[in-house]
Amino acid sequence: MKLFPLALIAFVATICEAKIDRNQPHDHTGKLTPYSPGPFPNLELTSKDEAELAQGKPVMKQSQGDGNSGGAICVQDINAPKAAVWNQILDLGMYTKKVGKVIHSSNYHVDKSDENAKKIKTKMVLGVIPGYSYESYYDHTFYPHQDSMTWTLDYEKTSDMDDVSGHWHLEERDGGLKTRVFYACDISLKGSVPGPVLNYLSKAALKSATSWVKKQSEENAADFHVAKEYGYKVTASNAGEVAEPVTGRGFFGRGGAVFRHGGAFVQKSKTGFTRMFQF
């Protein structure tokens, strides 16, 4: 068994040469330690990390959990409020149009009855290279009041991956105008894996997971409808919203409307919020 940190929500690990009854239980009920919602413990960012994040670049860190848990974490700053970022992450059924190499994504069970923990089970198929399409079933839990989502395999179904444990966590930045995203996904792979597939799963996928969220969130910074459907309470802070628009000539230019936000003027456009000047 090989264990690799990973980054994309839809991963699998072996080629299915024979017909598989996906409704049969997985061959175990979990090998990897599940993540807990909330901030990643013992994660420290250096001044160099902060400089990289300020330039819009992802930063890779190592998390140390209890016992044998822990793995690679990708950190990314996004020029959009938390509600807009959750709107993209929670829109699991639309990943085929947003996430590279995901060729199928559909929710087969959604339970929103618990206001503290929303359950979402999703079938995803990943096509890494031609001829290699992998299918897995994921059991997500979204914690709207903790700004976290964790997931494992759905062990009531048979997946091509041996095991998975993942975690999204969001933190507000710049008074709600921006979001810092933390992402981790550890996977256990079955059997031997072709070199190009292994290279993608162990290296490229982690960074690509936050890059697509950054792109989609910044392009749709005022869209919160999916987040609201899952019980995420959109507030003035997590939506990046501010007080009444500033009125008067010159305050509604080509870049979008200007608002007061604390001690600053900010401009809201389709790509997010930009701090103009302090007062």
Side-chain angles (χ1 to χ4, degrees):
M1 182 182 74
K2 303 178 181 67
L3 178 61
F4 298 94
L6 229 173
L8 202 49
I9 294 185
F11 292 148
V12 286
T14 57
I15 304 174
C16 307
E17 298 180 348
K19 181 67 175 178
I20 297 174
D21 183 356
R22 299 292 181 178
N23 290 319
Q24 290 297 310
H26 203 59
D27 58 6
H28 61 77
T29 56
K31 297 178 179 179
L32 299 177
T33 302
Y35 283 94
S36 298
F40 285 89
N42 306 318
L43 179 65
E44 296 183 1
L45 296 173
T46 66
S47 57
K48 181 180 178 181
D49 294 333
E50 293 289 355
E52 293 282 302
L53 291 167
Q55 296 176 35
K57 299 177 181 179
V59 168
M60 306 295 294
K61 302 295 290 185
Q62 194 73 17
S63 172
Q64 296 298 326
D66 298 329
N68 295 322
S69 64
I73 298 173
C74 189
V75 186
Q76 178 87 64
D77 279 356
I78 296 178
N79 188 29
K82 287 192 300 181
V85 179
W86 277 126
N87 200 73
Q88 297 301 322
I89 294 172
L90 291 168
D91 199 11
L92 293 156
M94 297 298 292
Y95 274 23
T96 54
K97 296 183 178 181
K98 304 175 183 181
V99 187
K101 302 187 184 301
V102 175
I103 59 178
H104 177 91
S105 182
S106 60
N107 296 331
Y108 58 91
H109 175 78
V110 175
D111 183 356
K112 305 175 185 177
S113 60
D114 186 341
E115 67 175 17
N116 297 311
K118 313 295 183 179
K119 302 291 290 186
I120 313 166
K121 293 188 176 183
T122 308
K123 170 188 174 181
M124 288 193 185
V125 181
L126 177 70
V128 180
I129 59 177
Y132 287 79
S133 295
Y134 305 128
E135 183 175 324
S136 284
Y137 296 81
Y138 300 91
D139 186 353
H140 307 86
T141 304
F142 173 51
Y143 302 90
H145 303 305
Q146 298 184 66
D147 274 307
S148 288
M149 182 165 76
T150 62
W151 66 97
T152 64
L153 290 181
D154 177 359
Y155 301 110
E156 295 180 353
K157 291 184 176 289
T158 299
S159 292
D160 294 332
M161 193 177 311
D162 184 42
D163 204 8
V164 62
S165 179
H167 184 191
W168 286 103
H169 181 68
L170 273 52
E171 293 183 359
E172 181 181 290
R173 306 290 291 179
D174 200 10
L177 300 180
K178 299 180 181 180
T179 302
R180 178 158 291 178
V181 174
F182 301 84
Y183 178 86
C185 187
D186 305 328
I187 60 168
S188 175
L189 308 177
K190 296 177 182 178
S192 60
V193 181
V197 176
L198 181 59
N199 182 65
Y200 174 77
L201 297 182
S202 61
K203 296 179 181 180
L206 191 58
K207 289 184 179 180
S208 70
T210 57
S211 65
W212 79 261
V213 173
K214 178 177 175 65
K215 178 179 184 295
Q216 294 293 331
S217 299
E218 292 179 351
E219 290 180 356
N220 302 277
D223 187 359
F224 319 131
H225 75 283
V226 178
K228 289 180 178 179
E229 290 175 5
Y230 283 101
Y232 194 68
K233 294 183 179 180
V234 177
T235 65
S237 176
N238 66 40
E241 295 292 347
V242 291
E244 290 299 318
V246 177
T247 59
R249 183 181 298 275
F251 280 98
F252 293 86
R254 297 176 182 176
V258 174
F259 299 78
R260 290 183 186 274
H261 185 275
F265 285 115
V266 295
Q267 189 170 55
K268 182 177 180 180
S269 66
K270 291 182 178 180
T271 58
F273 295 86
T274 301
R275 187 176 297 276
M276 298 180 70
F277 57 86
Q278 298 290 126
F279 61 85

